[in-house]
Amino acid sequence: MLVPPGPPDNPFEYGAVYRTRVDFPAQRDRFALGEVLMYWRFGTSVYDGRQGYFFRQPASERVRSWDVPLGVPY
């Protein structure tokens, strides 16, 4: 029986604030250079073959998501 690889070590720290260094598309979002994002949580979907990093923006309730295929370095 094949077992999918587990998620890699999480490169983000809960509650830490990050600024994007480049523009890049995500599966359900688009991130722009200089956006300020606070890391909120991590999720994995073996069914979809993805791991997700979820962020919030200061003064906003919007949740931003960056989904990466399982097994692909971030």
Side-chain angles (χ1 to χ4, degrees):
M1 181 169 145
L2 293 174
V3 177
D9 293 333
N10 190 336
F12 303 105
E13 183 178 326
Y14 177 78
V17 176
Y18 299 90
R19 184 180 302 270
T20 56
R21 294 184 286 183
V22 296
D23 292 343
F24 65 96
Q27 183 177 5
R28 297 178 283 171
D29 207 334
R30 179 160 191 81
F31 293 87
L33 171 70
E35 286 185 296
V36 176
L37 304 166
M38 182 188 75
Y39 179 68
W40 182 53
R41 64 183 276 233
F42 174 80
T44 301
S45 172
V46 175
Y47 178 78
D48 292 327
R50 300 215 172 264
Q51 58 203 21
Y53 302 98
F54 299 93
F55 302 87
R56 291 188 178 250
Q57 289 186 292
S60 174
E61 292 296 317
R62 182 176 177 206
V63 175
R64 310 283 304 275
S65 63
W66 178 33
D67 297 317
V68 180
L70 284 172
V72 173
Y74 35 83

